[in-house]
Amino acid sequence: MDERSAVTRGRTLDHAAKVYDFCEPILLLGKQGAYNREIVALLELEPGQRVLDLGCGTGELTRMIADSLDAAKGGRAVGIDAAAKMIQVARKKRENDTCRFDVVAAESLPYEDGAFDAVVSSLFFHHVDLELKQRTLAESFRVLPPGGKLVIADMHLPTTWMGWLVSWTSRWFFMQPQIAENIRGMLPGLMTEAGFSPPAIRAYYFGYIAIFTCEKSGGGHGTA
């Protein structure tokens, strides 16, 4: 019996699972490898760390992270996605001793407080509305220890005319007000409201995708 997708109000991409690995490199204009490598480098991984990948899709980034970890030292990357068909593909193609995949909604994580050393997300937050963004960031804060790292790559304020055109066209073509929240620049403020340190933009891609890094502040607190 097939595992069911997680219950969520956010968008799930079960319908795209079979073609996702073909389409994503096209959408990233052939820069997917460099983009993923930059995210992995910003995590500054150590072999024994535990990393959670939110909205992992078919798990390519999760596996790249896992390849830098050592199971014998406790290292593991866990990729989660609400879409069960995405997770089925990820498990078949990429699961191993340091790489695991769970059908989970990012706003309702089943993991213990401080269970991970780092949380990462690539192109997930523009699929969920403001409330789910807040709940996901609160959950990310909860599963990290003080000083734990958060790396988010997602749509943000456009910096070029092409970035403006692509991002706003995407918002109206796909009828996603969630995209508008991102490209109006809401994400950094939501991260600090959840208790994280002020995020730094470490890279920009295509004039509208920013890669942020920040840490769980010792005295901060998330909001459920």
Side-chain angles (χ1 to χ4, degrees):
M1 182 174 169
D2 289 342
E3 190 171 10
R4 292 186 177 183
S5 293
V7 176
T8 180
R9 198 173 65 248
R11 291 169 65 95
T12 58
L13 300 177
D14 276 304
H15 61 281
K18 291 183 179 179
V19 298
Y20 192 80
D21 281 349
F22 173 77
C23 293
E24 189 175 30
I26 296 173
L27 294 173
L28 290 173
L29 304 178
K31 295 186 177 181
Q32 183 184 24
Y35 167 87
N36 283 341
R37 286 192 294 272
E38 183 141 26
I39 293 171
V40 174
L42 289 171
L43 285 167
E44 299 178 314
L45 296 168
E46 297 178 6
Q49 288 187 319
R50 301 151 300 166
V51 182
L52 179 65
D53 181 6
L54 305 175
C56 67
T58 57
E60 183 160 347
L61 175 60
T62 319
R63 178 57 186 267
M64 287 183 67
I65 294 167
D67 286 345
S68 297
L69 304 176
D70 185 343
K73 296 182 179 180
R76 173 171 282 185
V78 178
I80 67 160
D81 203 290
K85 290 183 180 178
M86 285 287 195
I87 293 299
Q88 288 169 11
V89 174
R91 287 171 177 163
K92 182 177 180 180
K93 298 179 72 171
R94 300 189 169 103
E95 199 163 63
N96 67 6
D97 288 346
T98 56
C99 191
R100 190 184 90 207
F101 297 97
D102 295 335
V103 178
V104 168
E107 70 271 18
S108 184
L109 300 177
Y111 313 110
E112 295 181 358
D113 295 2
F116 295 94
D117 301 293
V119 173
V120 64
S121 169
S122 173
L123 301 178
F124 162 75
F125 277 90
H126 70 273
H127 288 300
V128 296
D129 64 28
L130 176 60
E131 182 188 357
L132 292 187
K133 287 179 173 70
Q134 293 171 320
R135 288 171 57 184
T136 297
L137 287 166
E139 282 288 85
S140 299
F141 186 93
R142 180 183 65 78
V143 300
L144 287 170
K149 180 168 286 189
L150 176 69
V151 177
I152 293 178
D154 219 304
M155 299 176 75
H156 187 49
L157 290 166
T159 59
T160 65
W161 70 268
M162 182 60 74
W164 186 93
L165 179 64
V166 170
S167 56
W168 280 103
T169 299
S170 298
R171 182 265 178 264
W172 291 108
F173 182 80
F174 295 110
M175 300 298 290
Q176 281 189 248
Q178 304 95 329
I179 290 177
E181 294 167 357
N182 279 54
I183 59 182
R184 287 183 180 128
M186 296 184 70
L187 268 180
L190 296 177
M191 289 183 236
T192 55
E193 286 174 15
F196 291 98
S197 63
I201 295 178
R202 307 296 294 273
Y204 245 102
Y205 282 81
F206 317 117
Y208 68 99
I209 296 175
I211 303 180
F212 301 94
T213 62
C214 56
E215 294 183 351
K216 177 173 177 174
S217 302
H221 59 85
T223 58

